Amino acid sequence: MFAVPSSVVDQHIKLAGSAQLKVLLWVLRHAGEPFQTEDIASALSMHPADVTDAMQYWVETGLILSKEKTLLPGEYTEPSAPPLSIDPKAESFSNGNIAEPPKRLRPLSRSQKPDNTHVAKRIGEEPDLASMVQEAQMILGKTISNGDCATLLMLHDNDGLPVDVILMLLQYAVSIGKPSMKYIEKVGISWAEEEIDSHEKAEQKLRMLSEKQNAWRLVETTIGIDHRSPSSKEAEAADRWVNQWNFSGAMIRLAYERCVDAKGKYIVGYTDSILKRWHQEGVQTIEQAHAEKRTAKQDRPEERYSPSYNIDEYERTSIFDDLPSREKEQ
């Protein structure tokens, strides 16, 4: 028997790939013995470079310590050993006064997809996985290939996404017209990094995505943009205007018109600066926006006193109008 740190199961078992886990178990089993990278590679039928990558993963998590360019456990420090060392006596392995656990990390590289034999075996052993494949085919409306099954299996086994979360991801991908397995895998990895590992978290994520999509549709319709996918900057601005600042379509349209009047074209950052000012000053209706502009026009230098700012001039030369290269592309 030999000791394994609790954090391996509590924090990393969903994230670490099979190679990383195999290497760690081998090293812990041989704690106190001198060994070379090639010894691990030979014992596990792995390439030495893959062993080094796997060891580096545990260095990133803090479970393996770099020490004087050696690779072995305990106090052994022979100079000829490969770079990296493990110290089972380190604080990371103790049961008391453990420092705050390191941030959850993904494997440094994507593991190779399992072959057809492994996929068939896993699906045959676990009814939940067999059900996942069947439901995935119904959601996607087609028979999925062995490669697609392997992708779903990796999202489950390597990335730690539960079956119900994977199915919710598939439904989302179909709903937005992006049912390709490449897109599903990309989003699935992103969800794993965000620790969306429960039905409740997935529902919250999908609700947030839906709100962002609805915000862009409102902006798109309000200012007459041809239907298309927004840029990341456009999507963030739309979410801010609608979901965070609670502006109506009419207010967004008015800000758009003032932007075009001042600049001759629609500029996301410039429109955002107008709406930001309104939000900060509590201007939420068309009447308030018009009244604000009338008040500013009355406060000319020839009047009772010099105004703090002029709305027309402000909207022509807003300090938030960061044109240079990025904005001109909009």
Side-chain angles (χ1 to χ4, degrees):
M1 297 175 64
F2 61 94
V4 177
S6 298
S7 60
V8 173
V9 175
D10 297 341
Q11 300 168 27
H12 302 292
I13 200 166
K14 289 183 178 181
L15 296 175
S18 58
Q20 285 93 345
L21 290 170
K22 287 179 180 179
V23 168
L24 180 65
L25 289 175
W26 194 96
V27 170
L28 294 177
R29 167 65 180 84
H30 294 275
E33 303 174 14
F35 53 81
Q36 303 285 333
T37 303
E38 289 73 14
D39 297 331
I40 305 176
S42 175
L44 301 179
S45 298
M46 293 173 60
H47 192 282
D50 293 333
V51 173
T52 301
D53 288 344
M55 293 290 286
Q56 184 61 34
Y57 171 78
W58 296 112
V59 170
E60 294 283 345
T61 65
L63 287 175
I64 289 180
L65 308 177
S66 294
K67 183 178 180 182
E68 300 179 3
K69 296 185 177 180
T70 60
L71 172 60
L72 58 115
E75 301 299 326
Y76 188 80
T77 57
E78 182 172 302
S80 61
L84 295 178
S85 69
I86 180 167
D87 185 359
K89 299 177 183 178
E91 187 179 41
S92 300
F93 289 79
S94 66
N95 290 323
N97 300 322
I98 298 180
E100 179 139 355
K103 184 179 179 180
R104 184 174 180 174
L105 299 175
R106 289 186 42 75
L108 296 178
S109 59
R110 192 78 170 144
S111 303
Q112 185 176 0
K113 285 187 179 182
D115 58 28
N116 295 343
T117 301
H118 179 76
V119 172
K121 181 181 179 182
R122 292 281 288 113
I123 293 175
E125 290 174 346
E126 294 195 30
D128 285 349
L129 296 180
S131 175
M132 176 184 72
V133 172
Q134 293 177 352
E135 291 193 46
Q137 294 181 136
M138 289 189 289
I139 293 170
L140 297 174
K142 64 177 183 179
T143 300
I144 60 177
S145 66
N146 290 331
D148 290 345
C149 288
T151 296
L152 297 179
L153 186 60
M154 286 187 71
L155 289 176
H156 180 272
D157 289 353
N158 290 38
D159 299 294
L161 296 184
V163 168
D164 59 338
V165 171
I166 293 174
L167 295 177
M168 294 171 75
L169 169 57
L170 292 172
Q171 292 169 340
Y172 166 71
V174 171
S175 71
I176 64 172
K178 295 183 178 180
S180 72
M181 196 56 64
K182 184 176 181 180
Y183 176 79
I184 291 166
E185 181 179 23
K186 178 182 176 181
V187 176
I189 293 172
S190 174
W191 283 20
E193 291 173 344
E194 295 178 45
E195 299 187 17
I196 301 175
D197 52 9
S198 69
H199 189 91
E200 293 73 19
K201 290 181 180 178
E203 281 188 336
Q204 183 178 4
K205 178 68 175 181
L206 291 174
R207 184 163 51 251
M208 181 186 70
L209 290 172
S210 177
E211 289 174 352
K212 286 186 175 182
Q213 290 168 2
N214 292 336
W216 171 246
R217 291 193 190 101
L218 174 63
V219 171
E220 191 179 48
T221 303
T222 297
I223 65 180
I225 297 176
D226 292 337
H227 181 64
R228 59 174 172 79
S229 296
S231 67
S232 58
K233 186 171 185 178
E234 288 175 323
E236 290 170 3
D239 178 56
R240 188 162 52 247
W241 301 344
V242 177
N243 297 322
Q244 298 178 35
W245 295 345
N246 298 314
F247 281 117
S248 65
M251 290 294 286
I252 294 171
R253 177 70 189 186
L254 181 58
Y256 162 77
E257 290 175 348
R258 291 192 180 182
C259 171
V260 173
D261 289 343
K263 294 296 180 181
K265 62 179 179 180
Y266 170 55
I267 301 172
V268 177
Y270 188 84
T271 307
D272 186 65
S273 72
I274 296 173
L275 290 167
K276 181 179 181 179
R277 176 168 54 80
W278 287 350
H279 172 67
Q280 292 173 337
E281 297 179 2
V283 177
Q284 285 290 330
T285 67
I286 296 293
E287 293 74 16
Q288 288 174 329
H290 288 325
E292 177 207 39
K293 196 159 191 175
R294 285 195 301 269
T295 300
K297 284 182 177 181
Q298 292 171 0
D299 292 337
R300 300 299 186 186
E302 62 272 14
E303 299 295 333
R304 293 169 300 169
Y305 59 90
S306 179
S308 59
Y309 61 84
N310 180 282
I311 292 294
D312 290 326
E313 185 63 22
Y314 176 89
E315 293 184 355
R316 282 194 296 271
T317 60
S318 171
I319 60 174
F320 296 99
D321 181 20
D322 53 341
L323 271 178
S325 56
R326 293 196 320 268
E327 289 294 329
K328 289 179 180 178
E329 294 174 0
Q330 299 289 342

